[in-house]
Amino acid sequence: MRTPRSVSLSRRGVLAAGGAVGIGALLAACGGNGASGGSAGGGGGGPWSFTDDRGQKVALPDRPHRIVAFTGTAAALHDFGVDDQIVGVFGPTTLANGKPDPQAGDLDVKKVTVIGNGYNQFNVEKYAGLSPDLLVTNMYEPGALWYVPDDSKDKITKLAKAVALTASRKPLDQIIARYGEFAASLGADLKAQKVTDAKARFERAAARLRKAAAAHRVKVLACSGSADLFYASNPGISADLIYFKSLGVDLIVPDHVDKGGYFESLSWENADKYQADVLLLDNRTATLQPKDLAAKPSWNKLPAVKAGQITPWSSEPRFSYAGAAPLMEQLAQAIERAKKVT
């Protein structure tokens, strides 16, 4: 499992997947050229190409039939109408109790092959066995394929071509639109009612959040907790926070961010450095939640904690209208109910 925050928020999804037996034979069998080994739905006639956010043009003889994607990426594409083409996923997909991880969204995890359920768990042999013709993932740092391990990246990218979509340093709405553009290239109908209804809900949620932020001038800190450190997140890097701030949410900006720019690491003794009225708390399964944090005296002393003004933060949002709208609705509600406590 990935480290709760220091690894994941540095956005370096580049750890080793470990040595896999027989990879050479599998590479040879697949030809290493990204050709489809099957014809599972969604194929279109004629050549297909897409220039990804690395600036790399990916071209195939026809529309991709067999796609393997990072779980959150697959969930976003599913929201746009890309379904049968997704045959495998990697990244947080199922919880210990077998239920879908929140990052899986509305994706039917029983219909796809999970080739790695956590950080540094990418099973190259299982991936090759799917005969993929396209791998799709997020890109938090320039050129870095999210959750694709560096040690096996060369083997992985020989099996199928890869598309990387920017996931940071741009506002949420722009990234969602880019996802829509990619989904359309795969055959999704962006005028389908499912998509247009989700977009309308997203726009209503954005308007509600803007109104709430204007009417309730409370300070919000996006944060995350681990056993040893409290992280104050930078609203200038994360796509959702950039967008929330553009809508008027008064997000606290840490003044000494760590390398990479995503957050400032604070010892628990200094967790009160930034006084917030509302805490937007990272709710990923690898991070500490309020029930876990209750054992830390410094957490209990925070004004927002005393006031019960804590709301969950999906710090790796699903880049679709359906995925993002509930996040804004939830934050808007928290701000509407909040009182100044600092």
Side-chain angles (χ1 to χ4, degrees), residues 121-141:
Q121 293 179 11
F122 194 112
N123 187 317
V124 186
E125 284 187 293
K126 187 178 286 189
Y127 175 62
L130 289 174
S131 299
D133 46 27
L134 191 67
L135 179 145
V136 190
T137 191
N138 289 333
M139 182 175 67
Y140 284 96
E141 295 299 324

Side-chain angles (χ1 to χ4, degrees), residues 79-104:
D79 289 341
F80 279 109
V82 179
D83 191 9
D84 291 341
Q85 291 149 276
I86 300 172
V87 297
V89 296
F90 55 95
T93 307
T94 57
L95 303 174
N97 60 10
K99 293 183 179 180
D101 187 279
Q103 290 202 54

Side-chain angles (χ1 to χ4, degrees), residues 53-115:
D53 292 339
R54 297 170 296 175
Q56 295 186 13
K57 183 177 181 179
V58 179
L60 295 171
D62 59 9
R63 185 181 295 157
H65 298 175
R66 300 180 63 79
I67 298 171
V68 175
F70 172 67
T71 300
T73 301
L77 292 175
H78 171 80
D79 289 341
F80 279 109
V82 179
D83 191 9
D84 291 341
Q85 291 149 276
I86 300 172
V87 297
V89 296
F90 55 95
T93 307
T94 57
L95 303 174
N97 60 10
K99 293 183 179 180
D101 187 279
Q103 290 202 54
D106 295 326
L107 186 70
D108 186 348
V109 299
K110 295 179 180 178
K111 287 179 58 178
V112 295
T113 298
V114 180
I115 62 173

Side-chain angles (χ1 to χ4, degrees), residues 4-6 8-9 11 219-226 229-235 238 240-241 244 250-254 262-268 270-284 286-290 293 298-299 302-305 309-316 331:
R5 192 68 172 179
S6 58
S8 59
L9 263 189
R11 306 302 183 186
K219 289 188 175 295
V220 180
L221 178 65
C223 58
S224 182
S226 71
L229 295 170
F230 180 68
Y231 301 93
S233 292
N234 178 10
S238 297
D240 54 345
L241 301 183
F244 299 163
D250 189 2
L251 282 157
I252 293 171
V253 181
Y262 283 94
F263 55 85
E264 178 177 356
S265 303
L266 298 167
S267 66
W268 277 106
N270 294 311
D272 61 351
K273 178 178 179 180
Y274 301 106
Q275 295 292 303
D277 301 300
V278 176
L279 294 179
L280 188 57
L281 182 67
D282 190 345
N283 69 347
R284 290 173 300 167
T287 63
L288 298 184
Q289 299 308 302
L293 294 168
S298 53
W299 167 260
L302 296 176
V305 175
Q309 296 181 170
I310 307 166
T311 191
W313 173 36
S314 298
S315 65
E316 289 182 38
L331 179 56

